[in-house]
């Protein structure tokens, strides 16, 4: 689907030392160009190339929403990798608005929120990602961890058990379920296996 409607002012606007890429649509947000001076030269060059690519995509009315979403998302991932949280969030948000069926953007927004200590917001984003891709274990695992952090042990246990239906030998999910059940159900088979150390021999599925 091609971008439609009026193309608004599209440019990188400078306010003092701050640069902002204006969006091509009213429902999108401006993206701040962060200070890159403290990053290594190779990293600065990589980010600048991605910024230029996004700016060119934004200016081209022939680009599809999918292409524009990818450009925002790719830049967001670079910002995220180098702890540039504000522009990463702005970029991911635009990517999600443009293609709301792509689970990557709410998932990455969830990771960003989780890293920033915004646990409720992170949970909300992980739930959106999980609905779009129900079998994506990292989203379920991170959501389970967040529920534990928020004191919602029963919800966390249910999420870990969902993981075990997808990956029965997922070490962390087994360990977390066993830990949550250890006090109230010490004779549960998973708890017994954890006590014997059996779970350590299972394959670990990293995030």
């Amino acid at each position: 689907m091609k971008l439609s409607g009026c193309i608004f002012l599209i440019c990188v606007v400078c306010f003092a030392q701050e640069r902002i890429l204006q969006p091509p649509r009213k429902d999108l947000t401006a993206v701040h160009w962060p200070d890159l001076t403290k990053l290594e030269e190779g990293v600065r060059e990589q980010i600048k190339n991605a910024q230029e690519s996004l700016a060119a995509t934004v200016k081209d009315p022939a680009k599809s929403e999918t292409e524009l979403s990818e450009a925002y998302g790719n830049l967001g991932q670079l910002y995220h990798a180098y702890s540039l949280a504000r522009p990463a969030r702005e970029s991911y948000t635009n990517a999600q608005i443009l293609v709301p069926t792509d689970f990557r953007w709410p998932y990455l927004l969830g990771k960003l929120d989780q890293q920033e200590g915004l646990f409720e917001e992170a949970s909300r984003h992980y739930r959106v990602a999980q609905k779009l891709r129900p079998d994506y274990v990292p989203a379920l695992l991170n959501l389970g961890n967040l529920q534990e952090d928020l004191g919602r042990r029963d919800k966390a246990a249910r999420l870990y058990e969902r993981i075990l239906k997808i990956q029965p030998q997922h070490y962390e999910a087994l360990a977390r379920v066993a830990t949550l059940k250890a006090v109230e159900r010490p004779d549960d088979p998973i708890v017994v296996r954890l006590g014997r150390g059996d779970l350590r021999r299972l394959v670990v599925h990293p995030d």
Side-chain angles (χ1 to χ4, degrees), residues 12-24:
V12 177
V13 180
C14 298
F15 296 101
Q17 299 299 315
E18 190 173 55
R19 305 173 69 224
I20 301 174
L21 178 68
Q22 297 296 334

Side-chain angles (χ1 to χ4, degrees), residues 95-167:
Q96 183 183 15
I97 290 170
L98 286 159
V99 184
T101 57
D102 192 326
F103 87 98
R104 291 176 297 169
W105 312 131
Y107 174 71
L108 289 170
L109 278 166
K111 291 198 72 172
L112 183 61
D113 287 333
Q114 187 173 9
Q115 291 162 0
E116 294 287 298
L118 304 172
F119 294 159
E120 292 290 358
E121 291 87 343
S123 295
R124 180 173 58 83
H125 282 123
Y126 284 141
R127 288 191 188 97
V128 172
Q130 183 269 321
K131 287 179 180 178
L132 292 170
R133 189 169 168 183
D135 62 345
Y136 191 59
V137 168
L140 292 169
L141 182 62
N142 289 344
L143 185 55
N145 291 339
L146 280 172
Q147 296 309 302
E148 279 199 79
D149 290 339
L150 292 167
R152 300 165 185 165
R153 294 167 59 88
D154 290 343
K155 289 184 177 181
R158 287 196 293 271
L159 286 161
Y160 298 139
E161 287 168 346
R162 285 181 62 185
I163 292 172
L164 295 177
K165 291 180 180 178
I166 301 168
Q167 295 180 2

Side-chain angles (χ1 to χ4, degrees), residues 3 7-11 21-25 28 31 33 51-63 67-68 71-72 94 98:
L3 291 174
I7 299 299
F8 296 91
L9 177 63
I10 302 169
C11 61
L21 178 68
Q22 297 296 334
R25 293 180 0 188
L28 302 179
V31 176
W33 260 210
Q51 289 173 334
E52 291 174 2
S53 177
L54 173 59
T57 303
V58 165
K59 290 178 182 179
D60 187 350
K63 293 295 185 182
E67 290 171 313
L68 186 54
Y72 274 117
N94 285 345
L98 286 159

Side-chain angles (χ1 to χ4, degrees), residues 30-58:
V31 176
H32 290 76
W33 260 210
D35 179 10
L36 306 177
T37 57
K38 295 181 180 180
L39 299 177
E40 295 180 1
E41 182 177 354
V43 173
R44 290 200 304 270
E45 190 66 24
Q46 187 179 15
I47 291 176
K48 286 179 180 178
N49 288 340
Q51 289 173 334
E52 291 174 2
S53 177
L54 173 59
T57 303
V58 165

